Amino acid sequence: MNNENLDPEEEKRDPYKIIPTMSPNKAAVLGLIVVFFIFQFGGGLLAISVFGFDINNADMNLMRLLTIGSQILFILFPAILFSKLVFEDVTSILRFRMPEPKEIGVFVLGLILLIPLLQNYLHIQNYILVELAESVPFVEGIKNFFDMLDKLVEESYLQLLTAKSPFEYLLVIIAVSVTPAICEEFFFRGFVQKSFEFKQKPATAILLTSVFFGLYHFNPYVLLPLIFIGIYLGYAAYKSNSIA
């Protein structure tokens, strides 16, 4: 059905009125909960069913392939499924269109400026945290907890990142960079953010999505940088109306 009540700018983004089958806010939260549990626990159970409990001695190439499959099955597929079930129009909800060349140029330039700033922020943050931990016992306790979580995350990726041949390097790039980027963007900047946009102001939708995006990565040291990156990616997706 054509949406005759939209203003020109909104009509450009959504030329057809989409009527959700449930509250978009509830759909976004439900999607976040479901994907969290099926990816964390479903992916873990899948790994155990294939490799048993001796994950450390598993075939790493097979583990990388399993990681790729888990991301597609437990992140990308739910994004598509929820979009279909709640909104029916999967293409619009997941912003499946190519951006304009100038939008790509501006986006890349923004990343070139943003990444060094966030790296500098991390150096300052870690320096302050170390200094405070030396004089404040409470902060030291927080830092020790953060260190434990950071070590767990690092150990979980260390074997995946260790490659000995060009084929393994390619598999590493696909497993830890390409596939997560595609799957996470379709889920977060596609389904989740677009769902929030139905009921929230764009800035609120972008911020909410970015906070969840940061929390999902389980690394407190990079939580704020991830949120800032999420805000940037969310604004880029909203402004261009493209997931690309």
Side-chain angles (χ1 to χ4, degrees):
M1 180 174 65
N2 286 334
N3 187 0
E4 299 176 354
N5 298 319
L6 292 177
D7 60 53
E9 181 66 23
E10 193 174 357
E11 189 171 3
K12 184 177 72 172
R13 296 187 175 282
D14 189 10
Y16 302 101
K17 185 173 183 178
I18 299 174
I19 302 176
T21 59
M22 67 181 293
S23 166
N25 284 341
K26 290 181 180 179
V29 173
L30 178 62
L32 286 162
I33 293 172
V34 169
V35 166
F36 174 81
F37 278 101
I38 65 174
F39 182 68
Q40 297 297 332
F41 296 103
L45 289 174
L46 185 61
I48 291 173
S49 67
V50 174
F51 301 110
F53 289 95
D54 191 13
I55 302 294
N56 291 331
N57 294 320
D59 184 315
M60 277 300 106
N61 286 332
L62 187 57
M63 177 66 78
R64 291 168 187 132
L65 290 173
L66 185 67
T67 300
I68 294 169
S70 296
Q71 292 162 350
I72 294 172
L73 183 62
F74 299 132
I75 300 178
L76 179 60
F77 178 71
I80 297 172
L81 180 62
F82 273 107
S83 297
K84 181 63 178 177
L85 292 176
V86 178
F87 301 103
E88 295 188 356
D89 188 351
V90 176
T91 301
S92 295
I93 296 302
L94 297 184
R95 311 176 198 268
F96 199 74
R97 62 171 289 273
M98 284 302 296
E100 299 294 330
K102 68 177 182 180
E103 292 174 330
I104 297 175
V106 171
F107 171 75
V108 171
L109 178 61
L111 276 182
I112 292 172
L113 297 174
L114 179 63
I115 298 301
L117 289 175
L118 294 179
Q119 289 174 332
N120 289 330
Y121 163 80
L122 279 175
H123 290 305
I124 297 171
Q125 169 194 272
N126 294 339
Y127 172 79
I128 293 175
L129 196 58
V130 169
E131 291 297 313
L132 286 175
E134 292 180 354
S135 56
V136 182
F138 175 72
V139 176
E140 183 181 13
I142 294 176
K143 183 180 181 301
N144 290 337
F145 178 69
F146 283 2
D147 287 342
M148 179 189 69
L149 292 179
D150 188 56
K151 184 178 179 180
L152 288 174
V153 172
E154 183 179 341
E155 288 177 350
S156 67
Y157 275 97
L158 186 60
Q159 287 183 303
L160 284 177
L161 293 172
T162 303
K164 299 178 181 178
S165 69
F167 171 75
E168 288 188 347
Y169 279 114
L170 178 62
L171 209 54
V172 166
I173 292 171
I174 295 173
V176 303
S177 180
V178 177
T179 307
I182 294 172
C183 297
E184 290 179 11
E185 289 313 300
F186 271 105
F187 179 66
F188 285 102
R189 253 61 62 180
F191 172 72
V192 174
Q193 183 175 309
K194 193 75 169 183
S195 297
F196 281 136
E197 286 175 18
F198 269 77
K199 293 294 184 180
Q200 309 291 335
K201 293 180 179 179
T204 304
I206 291 170
L207 180 60
L208 284 171
T209 304
S210 302
V211 170
F212 285 115
F213 175 71
L215 292 171
Y216 260 57
H217 286 80
F218 280 105
N219 193 330
Y221 281 122
V222 295
L223 176 61
L224 288 179
L226 282 172
I227 290 174
F228 284 128
I229 289 175
I231 291 172
Y232 179 73
L233 296 176
Y235 176 76
Y238 173 77
K239 196 67 176 176
S240 66
N241 199 29
S242 171
I243 201 68

